[in-house]
Amino acid sequence: MTQQNKTVWWALALPLLAVLIWSLNITVTRYVADYISPVSISFYRWLVAFVVLTPFMLVKVWRERQLIMQHWKQLVVLSAFGMVLYQGLGYTAAHYTTATNMGIINAFIPVFTIFVSMLMLKDIPNRFAVVGSILSFIGLLYVMAQGNLLNLVQSGGHLGDAMMVLAVFFYAFYGVFLKKWQLQIPLMISLYVQIAFALLYHLPFVLYLGLDPVDQHNLGSVLYAGIFPSLIAPFVWMLAVQMIGPNRTSIFMNLMPVCTAIIAYVWLAEAWTIYHSIGGVIILLGILLAQKKAIPVKTAEKLNAEVKMWFKK
């Protein structure tokens, strides 16, 4: 095996590691829901991340302060959507649904991103994206209805699942904002400033609702959330994007529902039911179809001409 092949295989391990960290965090979120309030763990999470990063980033942030001031409004919006609305709703949803459902719904981010891109960037999706999105949405409804779509009409669905859908929708906005603005700010500096704004966003809720104490029941979860999914996973994910490209990297996100379900089954004894399997497969097929690129017109015409020539021979 050549050195180049070794490097490729090593790079493929990076997005897998990030997905495993994020999948475990979903399970941690569900586990710790019984021991700490959503506001408390969300605030502590970003506080831990901020404290860990500060010794490494403070001087760099001061050096790039003029650049940051030019884009502070965009950073405020990114922090609100990616770190407060998405994460906060996720922590709240954990009180009302399972980690398995949260993992499945989280995989819906690519589909929502397609429609948000259409709304904000006028990026019209191709027929594969439309059909795949509809298929994924049907699968999502099937999981939320626990295998019987009449349950959605009769009971209005589950609050936790609905909150998680809303959280994923906000995160889709986060991704589209990143694509739209393409801020020329170093990634770690951007992350650090967004975390700082996230802490500021939490202050009104902390003053009104108060903070739960950190104790032996939730300390491990708080530290994990503040270090691994907040710092390590984004870093290795960004590194993977640089090494193997965004398209090959994004495919690994489709493994999150499976990884989350396995971890939740082992740790929380959550059952993986037939409606999870059916709905999960439908969602996965829809996501893969939605990411399929349409064949350019010229290419399609060329292929048709080649086929006709082949039959004439």
Side-chain angles (χ1 to χ4, degrees):
M1 182 179 291
T2 65
Q3 183 65 34
Q4 184 179 2
N5 288 334
K6 290 182 180 179
T7 302
V8 170
W9 286 110
W10 175 78
L12 291 176
L14 293 175
L16 179 59
L17 175 60
V19 167
L20 288 173
I21 291 174
W22 282 322
S23 299
L24 180 56
N25 185 60
I26 292 177
T27 311
V28 168
T29 298
R30 179 62 190 91
Y31 166 78
V32 81
D34 298 327
Y35 300 104
I36 191 171
S37 69
V39 170
S40 296
I41 187 172
S42 185
F43 177 78
Y44 287 137
R45 168 183 181 169
W46 298 120
L47 180 62
V48 169
F50 184 79
V51 170
V52 171
L53 279 180
T54 294
F56 307 99
M57 301 304 303
L58 193 57
V59 174
K60 296 179 181 179
V61 168
W62 178 255
R63 188 185 305 133
E64 300 291 343
R65 62 188 182 278
Q66 293 183 350
L67 179 62
I68 294 172
M69 289 303 298
Q70 293 175 10
H71 301 287
W72 72 271
K73 293 181 180 179
Q74 290 95 331
L75 293 171
V76 165
V77 174
L78 290 173
S79 176
F81 279 83
M83 297 183 176
V84 180
L85 293 172
Y86 171 65
Q87 300 293 347
L89 283 169
Y91 283 123
T92 306
H95 287 260
Y96 306 101
T97 189
T98 64
T100 301
N101 278 24
M102 291 173 68
I104 291 175
I105 296 171
N106 209 73
F108 210 69
I109 289 176
V111 173
F112 274 176
T113 301
I114 290 174
F115 286 98
V116 176
S117 296
M118 180 175 63
L119 177 66
M120 296 188 59
L121 305 180
K122 308 303 180 183
D123 187 4
I124 306 301
N126 59 48
R127 60 182 182 277
F128 297 112
V130 174
V131 175
S133 299
I134 295 174
L135 188 63
S136 291
F137 189 68
I138 293 173
L140 178 62
L141 292 178
Y142 188 80
V143 172
M144 293 175 63
Q146 298 183 349
N148 185 358
L149 294 177
L150 291 178
N151 287 341
L152 289 177
V153 179
Q154 296 170 355
S155 64
H158 296 274
L159 177 61
D161 291 343
M163 295 181 71
M164 196 63 201
V165 169
L166 185 59
V168 166
F169 185 66
F170 281 131
Y171 197 78
F173 272 96
Y174 177 80
V176 174
F177 282 138
L178 284 175
K179 181 179 180 181
K180 179 180 180 179
W181 292 327
Q182 297 183 358
L183 304 181
Q184 300 302 311
I185 301 176
L187 291 175
M188 292 306 297
I189 292 179
S190 175
L191 177 63
Y192 181 75
V193 175
Q194 289 179 53
I195 291 174
F197 281 124
L199 290 173
L200 293 177
Y201 278 124
H202 279 79
L203 289 182
F205 298 97
V206 169
L207 293 175
Y208 182 74
L209 300 173
L211 284 175
D212 292 341
V214 177
D215 54 29
Q216 69 273 17
H217 298 294
N218 56 41
L219 176 60
S221 300
V222 168
L223 292 177
Y224 178 85
I227 296 175
F228 286 89
S230 302
L231 300 177
I232 296 179
F235 176 76
V236 298
W237 186 265
M238 289 185 294
L239 188 60
V241 170
Q242 292 178 352
M243 296 185 67
I244 65 176
N247 293 333
R248 296 177 67 188
T249 301
S250 63
I251 293 175
F252 284 83
M253 190 64 73
N254 296 326
L255 295 174
M256 186 176 291
V258 177
C259 294
T260 303
I262 294 174
I263 296 171
Y265 174 78
V266 174
W267 186 6
L268 304 178
E270 289 187 1
W272 178 269
T273 65
I274 185 63
Y275 69 79
H276 284 117
S277 298
I278 296 175
V281 169
I282 294 174
I283 291 173
L284 180 59
L285 290 176
I287 290 173
L288 293 176
L289 183 61
Q291 294 179 352
K292 182 178 176 62
K293 301 295 184 182
I295 300 177
V297 176
K298 290 183 178 181
T299 303
E301 292 176 350
K302 183 178 179 181
L303 287 174
N304 290 333
E306 291 179 351
V307 170
K308 292 179 180 179
M309 289 293 295
W310 188 82
F311 277 110
K312 290 181 179 179
K313 292 180 179 180

